[in-house]
PDB file of all heavy atoms in Angstrom:
ATOM      1  N   GLY A  30     -30.929 -24.596 -91.017  1.00 92.00           N
ATOM      2  CA  GLY A  30     -29.605 -24.966 -91.512  1.00 92.00           C
ATOM      3  C   GLY A  30     -28.435 -24.647 -90.602  1.00 92.00           C
ATOM      4  O   GLY A  30     -27.312 -25.009 -90.908  1.00 92.00           O
ATOM      5  N   GLY A  31     -28.689 -23.974 -89.469  1.00 92.00           N
ATOM      6  CA  GLY A  31     -27.575 -23.562 -88.630  1.00 92.00           C
ATOM      7  C   GLY A  31     -27.414 -24.341 -87.346  1.00 92.00           C
ATOM      8  O   GLY A  31     -26.472 -24.120 -86.596  1.00 92.00           O
ATOM      9  N   LEU A  32     -28.341 -25.260 -87.050  1.00 96.00           N
ATOM     10  CA  LEU A  32     -28.246 -26.014 -85.803  1.00 96.00           C
ATOM     11  C   LEU A  32     -27.056 -26.990 -85.859  1.00 96.00           C
ATOM     12  O   LEU A  32     -26.916 -27.717 -86.842  1.00 96.00           O
ATOM     13  CB  LEU A  32     -29.525 -26.770 -85.513  1.00 96.00           C
ATOM     14  CG  LEU A  32     -30.725 -25.890 -85.076  1.00 96.00           C
ATOM     15  CD1 LEU A  32     -31.960 -26.767 -84.869  1.00 96.00           C
ATOM     16  CD2 LEU A  32     -30.385 -25.105 -83.809  1.00 96.00           C
ATOM     17  N   ARG A  33     -26.257 -26.995 -84.829  1.00 96.00           N
ATOM     18  CA  ARG A  33     -25.058 -27.840 -84.780  1.00 96.00           C
ATOM     19  C   ARG A  33     -24.871 -28.368 -83.372  1.00 96.00           C
ATOM     20  O   ARG A  33     -25.429 -27.814 -82.417  1.00 96.00           O
ATOM     21  CB  ARG A  33     -23.823 -27.029 -85.203  1.00 96.00           C
ATOM     22  CG  ARG A  33     -23.644 -25.740 -84.402  1.00 96.00           C
ATOM     23  CD  ARG A  33     -22.266 -25.154 -84.551  1.00 96.00           C
ATOM     24  NE  ARG A  33     -21.271 -25.914 -83.777  1.00 96.00           N
ATOM     25  CZ  ARG A  33     -19.976 -25.574 -83.698  1.00 96.00           C
ATOM     26  NH1 ARG A  33     -19.531 -24.534 -84.374  1.00 96.00           N
ATOM     27  NH2 ARG A  33     -19.135 -26.300 -82.974  1.00 96.00           N
ATOM     28  N   PRO A  34     -24.115 -29.394 -83.212  1.00 97.00           N
ATOM     29  CA  PRO A  34     -23.814 -29.858 -81.849  1.00 97.00           C
ATOM     30  C   PRO A  34     -23.075 -28.765 -81.057  1.00 97.00           C
ATOM     31  O   PRO A  34     -22.241 -28.046 -81.601  1.00 97.00           O
ATOM     32  CB  PRO A  34     -22.900 -31.080 -82.082  1.00 97.00           C
ATOM     33  CG  PRO A  34     -23.136 -31.487 -83.489  1.00 97.00           C
ATOM     34  CD  PRO A  34     -23.474 -30.249 -84.225  1.00 97.00           C
ATOM     35  N   HIS A  35     -23.371 -28.665 -79.783  1.00 98.00           N
ATOM     36  CA  HIS A  35     -22.714 -27.667 -78.926  1.00 98.00           C
ATOM     37  C   HIS A  35     -21.414 -28.240 -78.430  1.00 98.00           C
ATOM     38  O   HIS A  35     -21.186 -28.473 -77.250  1.00 98.00           O
ATOM     39  CB  HIS A  35     -23.648 -27.308 -77.774  1.00 98.00           C
ATOM     40  CG  HIS A  35     -23.117 -26.204 -76.894  1.00 98.00           C
ATOM     41  ND1 HIS A  35     -22.710 -24.986 -77.369  1.00 98.00           N
ATOM     42  CD2 HIS A  35     -22.906 -26.159 -75.536  1.00 98.00           C
ATOM     43  CE1 HIS A  35     -22.281 -24.221 -76.366  1.00 98.00           C
ATOM     44  NE2 HIS A  35     -22.393 -24.916 -75.257  1.00 98.00           N
ATOM     45  N   VAL A  36     -20.523 -28.502 -79.390  1.00 97.00           N
ATOM     46  CA  VAL A  36     -19.195 -29.035 -79.057  1.00 97.00           C
ATOM     47  C   VAL A  36     -18.142 -28.177 -79.734  1.00 97.00           C
ATOM     48  O   VAL A  36     -18.418 -27.471 -80.706  1.00 97.00           O
ATOM     49  CB  VAL A  36     -19.053 -30.503 -79.519  1.00 97.00           C
ATOM     50  CG1 VAL A  36     -20.071 -31.395 -78.833  1.00 97.00           C
ATOM     51  CG2 VAL A  36     -19.172 -30.628 -81.037  1.00 97.00           C
ATOM     52  N   VAL A  37     -16.934 -28.252 -79.202  1.00 97.00           N
ATOM     53  CA  VAL A  37     -15.816 -27.469 -79.753  1.00 97.00           C
ATOM     54  C   VAL A  37     -15.122 -28.301 -80.816  1.00 97.00           C
ATOM     55  O   VAL A  37     -14.599 -29.366 -80.523  1.00 97.00           O
ATOM     56  CB  VAL A  37     -14.840 -27.067 -78.635  1.00 97.00           C
ATOM     57  CG1 VAL A  37     -13.609 -26.388 -79.233  1.00 97.00           C
ATOM     58  CG2 VAL A  37     -15.520 -26.167 -77.608  1.00 97.00           C
ATOM     59  N   TRP A  38     -15.129 -27.799 -82.025  1.00 96.00           N
ATOM     60  CA  TRP A  38     -14.454 -28.494 -83.100  1.00 96.00           C
ATOM     61  C   TRP A  38     -12.998 -28.028 -83.188  1.00 96.00           C
ATOM     62  O   TRP A  38     -12.618 -26.979 -82.611  1.00 96.00           O
ATOM     63  CB  TRP A  38     -15.159 -28.199 -84.438  1.00 96.00           C
ATOM     64  CG  TRP A  38     -16.473 -28.881 -84.565  1.00 96.00           C
ATOM     65  CD1 TRP A  38     -16.850 -30.059 -84.008  1.00 96.00           C
ATOM     66  CD2 TRP A  38     -17.642 -28.397 -85.284  1.00 96.00           C
ATOM     67  NE1 TRP A  38     -18.140 -30.373 -84.356  1.00 96.00           N
ATOM     68  CE2 TRP A  38     -18.656 -29.373 -85.133  1.00 96.00           C
ATOM     69  CE3 TRP A  38     -17.885 -27.270 -86.065  1.00 96.00           C
ATOM     70  CZ2 TRP A  38     -19.904 -29.235 -85.733  1.00 96.00           C
ATOM     71  CZ3 TRP A  38     -19.139 -27.130 -86.668  1.00 96.00           C
ATOM     72  CH2 TRP A  38     -20.148 -28.106 -86.468  1.00 96.00           C
ATOM     73  N   PHE A  39     -12.196 -28.777 -83.887  1.00 92.00           N
ATOM     74  CA  PHE A  39     -10.795 -28.414 -84.091  1.00 92.00           C
ATOM     75  C   PHE A  39     -10.741 -27.073 -84.809  1.00 92.00           C
ATOM     76  O   PHE A  39     -11.420 -26.843 -85.795  1.00 92.00           O
ATOM     77  CB  PHE A  39     -10.081 -29.479 -84.879  1.00 92.00           C
ATOM     78  CG  PHE A  39      -9.815 -30.729 -84.079  1.00 92.00           C
ATOM     79  CD1 PHE A  39     -10.789 -31.708 -83.994  1.00 92.00           C
ATOM     80  CD2 PHE A  39      -8.623 -30.918 -83.385  1.00 92.00           C
ATOM     81  CE1 PHE A  39     -10.578 -32.866 -83.242  1.00 92.00           C
ATOM     82  CE2 PHE A  39      -8.404 -32.058 -82.646  1.00 92.00           C
ATOM     83  CZ  PHE A  39      -9.384 -33.028 -82.568  1.00 92.00           C
ATOM     84  N   GLY A  40      -9.929 -26.167 -84.262  1.00 93.00           N
ATOM     85  CA  GLY A  40      -9.819 -24.831 -84.811  1.00 93.00           C
ATOM     86  C   GLY A  40     -10.689 -23.836 -84.079  1.00 93.00           C
ATOM     87  O   GLY A  40     -10.626 -22.617 -84.347  1.00 93.00           O
ATOM     88  N   GLU A  41     -11.526 -24.303 -83.125  1.00 96.00           N
ATOM     89  CA  GLU A  41     -12.375 -23.404 -82.336  1.00 96.00           C
ATOM     90  C   GLU A  41     -11.840 -23.277 -80.923  1.00 96.00           C
ATOM     91  O   GLU A  41     -11.101 -24.118 -80.433  1.00 96.00           O
ATOM     92  CB  GLU A  41     -13.814 -23.942 -82.306  1.00 96.00           C
ATOM     93  CG  GLU A  41     -14.482 -23.982 -83.671  1.00 96.00           C
ATOM     94  CD  GLU A  41     -15.921 -24.452 -83.624  1.00 96.00           C
ATOM     95  OE1 GLU A  41     -16.229 -25.342 -82.809  1.00 96.00           O
ATOM     96  OE2 GLU A  41     -16.738 -23.935 -84.403  1.00 96.00           O
ATOM     97  N   MET A  42     -12.224 -22.194 -80.243  1.00 96.00           N
ATOM     98  CA  MET A  42     -11.751 -21.905 -78.917  1.00 96.00           C
ATOM     99  C   MET A  42     -12.562 -22.672 -77.869  1.00 96.00           C
ATOM    100  O   MET A  42     -13.784 -22.615 -77.896  1.00 96.00           O
ATOM    101  CB  MET A  42     -11.856 -20.397 -78.635  1.00 96.00           C
ATOM    102  CG  MET A  42     -11.316 -19.988 -77.285  1.00 96.00           C
ATOM    103  SD  MET A  42      -9.525 -20.255 -77.120  1.00 96.00           S
ATOM    104  CE  MET A  42      -8.909 -19.019 -78.271  1.00 96.00           C
ATOM    105  N   PRO A  43     -11.890 -23.374 -76.942  1.00 97.00           N
ATOM    106  CA  PRO A  43     -12.627 -24.021 -75.841  1.00 97.00           C
ATOM    107  C   PRO A  43     -13.418 -23.017 -75.010  1.00 97.00           C
ATOM    108  O   PRO A  43     -13.131 -21.822 -74.993  1.00 97.00           O
ATOM    109  CB  PRO A  43     -11.511 -24.675 -75.038  1.00 97.00           C
ATOM    110  CG  PRO A  43     -10.396 -24.875 -76.028  1.00 97.00           C
ATOM    111  CD  PRO A  43     -10.466 -23.704 -76.929  1.00 97.00           C
ATOM    112  N   PHE A  44     -14.386 -23.533 -74.285  1.00 98.00           N
ATOM    113  CA  PHE A  44     -15.267 -22.708 -73.471  1.00 98.00           C
ATOM    114  C   PHE A  44     -14.666 -22.478 -72.071  1.00 98.00           C
ATOM    115  O   PHE A  44     -13.893 -23.306 -71.555  1.00 98.00           O
ATOM    116  CB  PHE A  44     -16.639 -23.366 -73.299  1.00 98.00           C
ATOM    117  CG  PHE A  44     -17.377 -23.604 -74.597  1.00 98.00           C
ATOM    118  CD1 PHE A  44     -17.968 -24.828 -74.863  1.00 98.00           C
ATOM    119  CD2 PHE A  44     -17.499 -22.597 -75.534  1.00 98.00           C
ATOM    120  CE1 PHE A  44     -18.660 -25.043 -76.042  1.00 98.00           C
ATOM    121  CE2 PHE A  44     -18.155 -22.799 -76.726  1.00 98.00           C
ATOM    122  CZ  PHE A  44     -18.764 -24.032 -76.986  1.00 98.00           C
ATOM    123  N   ASP A  45     -15.077 -21.387 -71.441  1.00 97.00           N
ATOM    124  CA  ASP A  45     -14.869 -21.130 -69.994  1.00 97.00           C
ATOM    125  C   ASP A  45     -13.395 -21.059 -69.580  1.00 97.00           C
ATOM    126  O   ASP A  45     -13.074 -21.288 -68.412  1.00 97.00           O
ATOM    127  CB  ASP A  45     -15.570 -22.210 -69.156  1.00 97.00           C
ATOM    128  CG  ASP A  45     -17.076 -22.125 -69.238  1.00 97.00           C
ATOM    129  OD1 ASP A  45     -17.586 -21.032 -69.553  1.00 97.00           O
ATOM    130  OD2 ASP A  45     -17.741 -23.150 -68.982  1.00 97.00           O
ATOM    131  N   LEU A  46     -12.479 -20.718 -70.482  1.00 98.00           N
ATOM    132  CA  LEU A  46     -11.072 -20.731 -70.118  1.00 98.00           C
ATOM    133  C   LEU A  46     -10.755 -19.695 -69.059  1.00 98.00           C
ATOM    134  O   LEU A  46      -9.867 -19.960 -68.199  1.00 98.00           O
ATOM    135  CB  LEU A  46     -10.208 -20.538 -71.364  1.00 98.00           C
ATOM    136  CG  LEU A  46     -10.173 -21.707 -72.357  1.00 98.00           C
ATOM    137  CD1 LEU A  46      -9.230 -21.410 -73.489  1.00 98.00           C
ATOM    138  CD2 LEU A  46      -9.772 -23.005 -71.652  1.00 98.00           C
ATOM    139  N   ASP A  47     -11.392 -18.550 -69.059  1.00 98.00           N
ATOM    140  CA  ASP A  47     -11.095 -17.548 -68.032  1.00 98.00           C
ATOM    141  C   ASP A  47     -11.409 -18.108 -66.659  1.00 98.00           C
ATOM    142  O   ASP A  47     -10.613 -17.925 -65.710  1.00 98.00           O
ATOM    143  CB  ASP A  47     -11.922 -16.272 -68.287  1.00 98.00           C
ATOM    144  CG  ASP A  47     -11.404 -15.456 -69.478  1.00 98.00           C
ATOM    145  OD1 ASP A  47     -10.281 -15.736 -69.942  1.00 98.00           O
ATOM    146  OD2 ASP A  47     -12.122 -14.555 -69.927  1.00 98.00           O
ATOM    147  N   ALA A  48     -12.534 -18.768 -66.522  1.00 98.00           N
ATOM    148  CA  ALA A  48     -12.915 -19.350 -65.221  1.00 98.00           C
ATOM    149  C   ALA A  48     -11.955 -20.467 -64.831  1.00 98.00           C
ATOM    150  O   ALA A  48     -11.606 -20.628 -63.666  1.00 98.00           O
ATOM    151  CB  ALA A  48     -14.349 -19.885 -65.283  1.00 98.00           C
ATOM    152  N   VAL A  49     -11.520 -21.258 -65.821  1.00 98.00           N
ATOM    153  CA  VAL A  49     -10.583 -22.362 -65.542  1.00 98.00           C
ATOM    154  C   VAL A  49      -9.253 -21.805 -65.037  1.00 98.00           C
ATOM    155  O   VAL A  49      -8.715 -22.276 -64.024  1.00 98.00           O
ATOM    156  CB  VAL A  49     -10.386 -23.241 -66.773  1.00 98.00           C
ATOM    157  CG1 VAL A  49      -9.247 -24.254 -66.538  1.00 98.00           C
ATOM    158  CG2 VAL A  49     -11.660 -23.954 -67.127  1.00 98.00           C
ATOM    159  N   TYR A  50      -8.701 -20.813 -65.728  1.00 98.00           N
ATOM    160  CA  TYR A  50      -7.423 -20.274 -65.319  1.00 98.00           C
ATOM    161  C   TYR A  50      -7.519 -19.561 -63.965  1.00 98.00           C
ATOM    162  O   TYR A  50      -6.568 -19.603 -63.176  1.00 98.00           O
ATOM    163  CB  TYR A  50      -6.868 -19.324 -66.385  1.00 98.00           C
ATOM    164  CG  TYR A  50      -6.287 -20.056 -67.568  1.00 98.00           C
ATOM    165  CD1 TYR A  50      -6.853 -19.959 -68.840  1.00 98.00           C
ATOM    166  CD2 TYR A  50      -5.161 -20.881 -67.422  1.00 98.00           C
ATOM    167  CE1 TYR A  50      -6.329 -20.630 -69.916  1.00 98.00           C
ATOM    168  CE2 TYR A  50      -4.628 -21.569 -68.492  1.00 98.00           C
ATOM    169  CZ  TYR A  50      -5.212 -21.453 -69.736  1.00 98.00           C
ATOM    170  OH  TYR A  50      -4.684 -22.147 -70.808  1.00 98.00           O
ATOM    171  N   ALA A  51      -8.667 -18.966 -63.678  1.00 98.00           N
ATOM    172  CA  ALA A  51      -8.863 -18.377 -62.350  1.00 98.00           C
ATOM    173  C   ALA A  51      -8.826 -19.461 -61.263  1.00 98.00           C
ATOM    174  O   ALA A  51      -8.230 -19.289 -60.214  1.00 98.00           O
ATOM    175  CB  ALA A  51     -10.188 -17.615 -62.313  1.00 98.00           C
ATOM    176  N   ALA A  52      -9.463 -20.605 -61.546  1.00 98.00           N
ATOM    177  CA  ALA A  52      -9.444 -21.707 -60.609  1.00 98.00           C
ATOM    178  C   ALA A  52      -8.018 -22.277 -60.426  1.00 98.00           C
ATOM    179  O   ALA A  52      -7.601 -22.599 -59.312  1.00 98.00           O
ATOM    180  CB  ALA A  52     -10.401 -22.818 -61.048  1.00 98.00           C
ATOM    181  N   LEU A  53      -7.281 -22.377 -61.537  1.00 98.00           N
ATOM    182  CA  LEU A  53      -5.910 -22.868 -61.459  1.00 98.00           C
ATOM    183  C   LEU A  53      -5.033 -21.950 -60.633  1.00 98.00           C
ATOM    184  O   LEU A  53      -4.082 -22.390 -59.970  1.00 98.00           O
ATOM    185  CB  LEU A  53      -5.333 -23.033 -62.864  1.00 98.00           C
ATOM    186  CG  LEU A  53      -5.928 -24.155 -63.719  1.00 98.00           C
ATOM    187  CD1 LEU A  53      -5.445 -24.034 -65.169  1.00 98.00           C
ATOM    188  CD2 LEU A  53      -5.572 -25.530 -63.155  1.00 98.00           C
ATOM    189  N   SER A  54      -5.336 -20.669 -60.645  1.00 98.00           N
ATOM    190  CA  SER A  54      -4.517 -19.691 -59.923  1.00 98.00           C
ATOM    191  C   SER A  54      -4.654 -19.801 -58.412  1.00 98.00           C
ATOM    192  O   SER A  54      -3.787 -19.357 -57.659  1.00 98.00           O
ATOM    193  CB  SER A  54      -4.848 -18.277 -60.373  1.00 98.00           C
ATOM    194  OG  SER A  54      -6.096 -17.845 -59.848  1.00 98.00           O
ATOM    195  N   ARG A  55      -5.765 -20.408 -57.954  1.00 97.00           N
ATOM    196  CA  ARG A  55      -6.018 -20.456 -56.499  1.00 97.00           C
ATOM    197  C   ARG A  55      -6.040 -21.885 -55.908  1.00 97.00           C
ATOM    198  O   ARG A  55      -6.231 -22.041 -54.726  1.00 97.00           O
ATOM    199  CB  ARG A  55      -7.330 -19.761 -56.191  1.00 97.00           C
ATOM    200  CG  ARG A  55      -8.569 -20.394 -56.813  1.00 97.00           C
ATOM    201  CD  ARG A  55      -9.836 -19.632 -56.427  1.00 97.00           C
ATOM    202  NE  ARG A  55     -11.032 -20.225 -57.027  1.00 97.00           N
ATOM    203  CZ  ARG A  55     -11.578 -19.859 -58.179  1.00 97.00           C
ATOM    204  NH1 ARG A  55     -11.065 -18.838 -58.860  1.00 97.00           N
ATOM    205  NH2 ARG A  55     -12.667 -20.445 -58.649  1.00 97.00           N
ATOM    206  N   CYS A  56      -5.812 -22.889 -56.768  1.00 98.00           N
ATOM    207  CA  CYS A  56      -5.934 -24.264 -56.251  1.00 98.00           C
ATOM    208  C   CYS A  56      -4.637 -24.687 -55.523  1.00 98.00           C
ATOM    209  O   CYS A  56      -3.555 -24.241 -55.843  1.00 98.00           O
ATOM    210  CB  CYS A  56      -6.254 -25.256 -57.359  1.00 98.00           C
ATOM    211  SG  CYS A  56      -4.920 -25.608 -58.523  1.00 98.00           S
ATOM    212  N   GLY A  57      -4.836 -25.549 -54.569  1.00 98.00           N
ATOM    213  CA  GLY A  57      -3.676 -26.122 -53.836  1.00 98.00           C
ATOM    214  C   GLY A  57      -3.244 -27.452 -54.426  1.00 98.00           C
ATOM    215  O   GLY A  57      -2.086 -27.886 -54.272  1.00 98.00           O
ATOM    216  N   THR A  58      -4.184 -28.126 -55.134  1.00 98.00           N
ATOM    217  CA  THR A  58      -3.904 -29.420 -55.751  1.00 98.00           C
ATOM    218  C   THR A  58      -4.560 -29.425 -57.129  1.00 98.00           C
ATOM    219  O   THR A  58      -5.701 -28.995 -57.308  1.00 98.00           O
ATOM    220  CB  THR A  58      -4.471 -30.575 -54.918  1.00 98.00           C
ATOM    221  OG1 THR A  58      -3.884 -30.572 -53.625  1.00 98.00           O
ATOM    222  CG2 THR A  58      -4.180 -31.917 -55.602  1.00 98.00           C
ATOM    223  N   PHE A  59      -3.800 -29.939 -58.122  1.00 98.00           N
ATOM    224  CA  PHE A  59      -4.317 -30.155 -59.468  1.00 98.00           C
ATOM    225  C   PHE A  59      -4.213 -31.623 -59.791  1.00 98.00           C
ATOM    226  O   PHE A  59      -3.149 -32.232 -59.666  1.00 98.00           O
ATOM    227  CB  PHE A  59      -3.512 -29.343 -60.496  1.00 98.00           C
ATOM    228  CG  PHE A  59      -3.874 -29.651 -61.929  1.00 98.00           C
ATOM    229  CD1 PHE A  59      -4.997 -29.083 -62.497  1.00 98.00           C
ATOM    230  CD2 PHE A  59      -3.090 -30.513 -62.689  1.00 98.00           C
ATOM    231  CE1 PHE A  59      -5.349 -29.383 -63.820  1.00 98.00           C
ATOM    232  CE2 PHE A  59      -3.424 -30.793 -64.003  1.00 98.00           C
ATOM    233  CZ  PHE A  59      -4.556 -30.238 -64.564  1.00 98.00           C
ATOM    234  N   ILE A  60      -5.335 -32.238 -60.201  1.00 98.00           N
ATOM    235  CA  ILE A  60      -5.385 -33.661 -60.479  1.00 98.00           C
ATOM    236  C   ILE A  60      -5.801 -33.864 -61.932  1.00 98.00           C
ATOM    237  O   ILE A  60      -6.863 -33.369 -62.353  1.00 98.00           O
ATOM    238  CB  ILE A  60      -6.358 -34.385 -59.538  1.00 98.00           C
ATOM    239  CG1 ILE A  60      -6.045 -34.088 -58.066  1.00 98.00           C
ATOM    240  CG2 ILE A  60      -6.322 -35.888 -59.792  1.00 98.00           C
ATOM    241  CD1 ILE A  60      -7.108 -34.603 -57.119  1.00 98.00           C
ATOM    242  N   SER A  61      -5.022 -34.600 -62.698  1.00 98.00           N
ATOM    243  CA  SER A  61      -5.339 -34.911 -64.075  1.00 98.00           C
ATOM    244  C   SER A  61      -5.700 -36.393 -64.163  1.00 98.00           C
ATOM    245  O   SER A  61      -4.947 -37.254 -63.702  1.00 98.00           O
ATOM    246  CB  SER A  61      -4.130 -34.622 -64.973  1.00 98.00           C
ATOM    247  OG  SER A  61      -4.396 -34.970 -66.313  1.00 98.00           O
ATOM    248  N   ILE A  62      -6.864 -36.682 -64.762  1.00 98.00           N
ATOM    249  CA  ILE A  62      -7.384 -38.050 -64.784  1.00 98.00           C
ATOM    250  C   ILE A  62      -7.787 -38.452 -66.201  1.00 98.00           C
ATOM    251  O   ILE A  62      -8.574 -37.771 -66.861  1.00 98.00           O
ATOM    252  CB  ILE A  62      -8.619 -38.183 -63.877  1.00 98.00           C
ATOM    253  CG1 ILE A  62      -8.294 -37.776 -62.436  1.00 98.00           C
ATOM    254  CG2 ILE A  62      -9.170 -39.621 -63.929  1.00 98.00           C
ATOM    255  CD1 ILE A  62      -9.526 -37.682 -61.543  1.00 98.00           C
TER     256      ILE A  62
END
């Protein structure tokens, strides 16, 4: 009864944000697509 899709639902915290913000702190270019 507990198996669910491994996706972030509304109201849940996104994954890997610490790693993302660390990458944003050192990048020279940010591209949004």
